Amino acid sequence: MRMIDIIQKKRDGLALTKAETTWLIDQYATGEIPDYQMSAWAMAVYFQGMTKAEIADLTMAMVATGEQIDLSEIPGIKVDKHSTGGVGDKVTLILAPLVASFGVAVAKMSGRGLGHTGGTIDKLESIHGFQVERTQADFVQQVKAIGISVIGQSDDLVKADKLLYALRDVTATVDIIPLIASSIMSKKIAAGSDAILLDVTVGSGAFMKNMTDARLLAQTMVDLGNAVGRKTVAVITDMRQPLGTTIGNRLEIAESLSVLQGGGSPELRQFIAELAQIMLSLAGVEKSLAAILENLSNGAALAKFKQMITAQGGDVNELLTSPEHDTRFSKTVVSTQAGYITSFDALSAGLLAMRAGAGRAVKSDALDLDAGLRIFKKIGEPVEIGEPLFEILYNKADFDADKESQVLRDAISISDDKIEIKEIVEIIK
Ligand code: URA
């Protein structure tokens, strides 16, 4: 086979065969196909799209370029969960122990944050001593013993995706739904679970900015998962505003702990309970929302969270005695208007938290695990003049808190209209 013929075929709008797609990915992963030819193929995909069969072939060819996690030693149906990224997204921290509290094993690999989206692994590392790097054997052993483990994604998973994603990033070929779908699903499939819940976020703080694209991405991934034998369900969730009331690593751990202790905002509790109901159902366990919410209040999910922290070397006592850490500086931003919050730019709030130290602008940036943002008012809530809207927590002496306060005021709009929003917008099976 010759790469030039494959590029030409794709450029002319024809579907590649399984043998061609497998060859293409294989040769790229082993360095035989140069980046310039691979980028021409990716750009041809941007204009011509891919058939369902091509997307499935591409995904499985990518899976084969790296390590595949074998979870077969763990009894029962293993369910994974993935979010396409949000601001203040602490779902996994609460959902994983909640699902595990019903006896459904959660063996999850998560990522680090970049830009305005946080990463579960960074958040977990804000717990003193918590280890996110484990051998595959230790990971499986822990899930067998206590039913839960969340670790960092192995570097050896889906080698082709690492190369292709870096190439797409610099060739204007990231925003191509078949390539996003195969990139995400290849990692989920290689991670070994039997069923997958996908949280496709939509809104200013998300990858997908509108419902049409979110629906298409969700349906493409659901079809793909089901085509390769993994039961897959997607929920489309509203990321017009940050999730919950904090953005920042330790702050989000503290908020998650509070939900697991029976507190937190009712909206966040309800949202996580709805996700848990779908995840449990994928594992063949049917539970009412009331029963699921009960495990958030009665300490059952909290007990799983604590067990996981201890098993991975984390200091539970330190977390329970001082869930939030002070920073050197803080700035409270108050409202200059009265009314209801009607819009909230999640992207702007996420980028501000990043500048305060909670996120990375580039991969090599160090994090300030204690920095971030507290949010006192969300869409639909009333506010008076002089009432606190936000509190920025930071340690950097050169952070321009006055300028950033204005950024936050500009990120929301206040009017006389009371708007209601619901986190789960649509479920796609
Ligand atoms: N996340 C991924 O893992 N891959 C993409 O292509 C886009 C988002």
Side-chain angles (χ1 to χ4, degrees):
M1 272 184 230
R2 292 191 320 153
M3 186 59 182
I4 185 170
D5 299 329
I6 289 186
I7 298 169
Q8 190 171 339
K9 194 169 171 184
K10 193 75 258 176
R11 183 201 69 188
D12 295 344
L14 300 171
L16 301 184
T17 63
K18 185 183 175 103
E20 285 165 336
T21 302
T22 308
W23 180 84
L24 160 80
I25 291 299
D26 205 45
Q27 297 286 298
Y28 182 57
T30 51
E32 300 298 321
I33 292 175
D35 277 349
Y36 54 83
Q37 285 190 306
M38 203 62 186
S39 9
W41 165 83
M43 193 55 86
V45 172
Y46 177 88
F47 286 107
Q48 298 293 359
M50 292 174 101
T51 64
K52 276 188 186 176
E54 275 184 297
I55 302 173
D57 293 342
L58 173 66
T59 306
M60 294 318 280
M62 299 223 294
V63 170
T65 62
E67 181 185 15
Q68 290 176 55
I69 311 294
D70 181 2
L71 301 178
S72 59
E73 258 189 70
I74 305 163
I77 298 171
K78 276 76 66 185
V79 191
D80 201 351
K81 174 254 161 197
H82 178 81
S83 163
T84 57
V87 177
D89 184 348
K90 67 264 314 159
V91 168
T92 295
L93 299 167
I94 308 164
L95 182 62
L98 179 57
V99 167
S101 73
F102 287 96
V104 170
V106 181
K108 176 144 181 55
M109 289 188 172
S110 283
R112 294 193 181 274
L114 188 61
H116 66 284
T117 58
T120 300
I121 288 306
D122 299 319
K123 293 170 198 180
L124 284 169
E125 275 186 341
S126 74
I127 301 171
H128 293 178
F130 193 95
Q131 300 294 311
V132 296
E133 279 173 28
R134 311 291 266 190
T135 64
Q136 209 187 123
D138 286 348
F139 175 55
V140 169
Q141 239 4 79
Q142 180 175 321
V143 181
K144 272 174 80 179
I146 63 167
I148 182 168
S149 182
V150 180
I151 63 166
Q153 186 177 295
S154 154
D155 274 346
D156 301 325
L157 223 59
V158 197
K159 189 175 164 209
D161 180 62
K162 269 196 200 77
L163 298 170
L164 187 54
Y165 195 83
L167 183 70
R168 287 168 54 208
D169 208 21
V170 292
T171 55
T173 50
V174 168
D175 54 341
I176 305 176
I177 286 177
L179 298 188
I180 299 174
S182 55
S183 164
I184 292 174
M185 291 302 284
S186 62
K187 287 173 282 198
K188 292 290 106 185
I189 291 163
S193 284
D194 308 297
I196 303 158
L197 169 63
L198 299 164
D199 177 1
V200 177
T201 50
V202 63
S204 83
F207 230 113
M208 299 289 116
K209 305 291 181 205
N210 62 64
M211 269 309 278
T212 309
D213 287 348
R215 244 183 229 124
L216 184 58
L217 177 62
Q219 193 67 61
T220 305
M221 292 197 286
V222 166
D223 291 346
L224 185 49
N226 290 327
V228 300
R230 311 286 167 110
K231 233 165 132 183
T232 308
V233 172
V235 289
I236 298 182
T237 60
D238 196 322
M239 196 41 77
R240 266 182 293 176
Q241 63 178 344
L243 192 67
T245 55
T246 55
I247 307 173
N249 298 286
R250 181 69 177 206
L251 284 168
E252 291 186 46
I253 288 284
E255 186 181 355
S256 303
L257 180 67
S258 157
V259 173
L260 291 164
Q261 288 170 325
S265 78
E267 294 79 24
L268 182 58
R269 299 169 68 75
Q270 181 71 18
F271 173 51
I272 303 243
E274 288 172 17
L275 293 180
Q277 191 174 42
I278 301 170
M279 255 179 108
L280 289 168
S281 173
L282 281 167
V285 176
E286 302 301 337
K287 292 282 169 193
S288 68
L289 280 178
I292 294 170
L293 284 164
E294 177 61 20
N295 270 22
L296 282 181
S297 311
N298 65 13
L302 176 65
K304 277 289 152 205
F305 187 57
K306 289 199 237 170
Q307 264 184 307
M308 175 175 82
I309 294 173
T310 304
Q312 293 183 226
D315 187 343
V316 172
N317 284 336
E318 195 277 336
L319 175 64
L320 294 176
T321 46
S322 49
E324 287 183 0
H325 292 165
D326 288 339
T327 48
R328 283 171 65 207
F329 310 105
S330 70
K331 169 90 183 173
T332 301
V333 182
V334 299
S335 182
T336 51
Q337 257 180 287
Y340 292 98
I341 311 281
T342 42
S343 72
F344 194 143
D345 184 354
L347 175 61
S348 181
L351 289 173
L352 182 137
M354 181 193 83
R355 290 192 294 275
R360 301 180 181 87
V362 292
K363 260 188 184 170
S364 54
D365 280 352
L367 289 182
D368 178 346
L369 293 171
D370 299 330
L373 193 63
R374 285 199 184 99
I375 301 163
F376 303 123
K377 298 284 176 185
K378 297 194 63 181
I379 293 178
E381 291 188 41
V383 60
E384 299 294 335
I385 293 174
E387 248 196 300
L389 295 168
F390 302 98
E391 186 183 15
I392 313 170
L393 301 169
Y394 60 104
N395 288 303
K396 290 177 175 177
D398 62 350
F399 182 78
D400 189 343
D402 289 333
K403 187 172 142 210
E404 298 288 7
S405 299
Q406 194 51 46
V407 170
L408 283 176
R409 278 200 199 91
D410 294 343
I412 56 171
S413 54
I414 298 174
S415 82
D416 292 340
D417 305 324
K418 183 168 169 25
I419 289 180
E420 281 190 20
I421 67 172
K422 190 151 177 13
E423 267 81 10
I424 296 184
V425 186
E426 206 166 298
I427 300 178
I428 294 186
K429 293 184 184 179

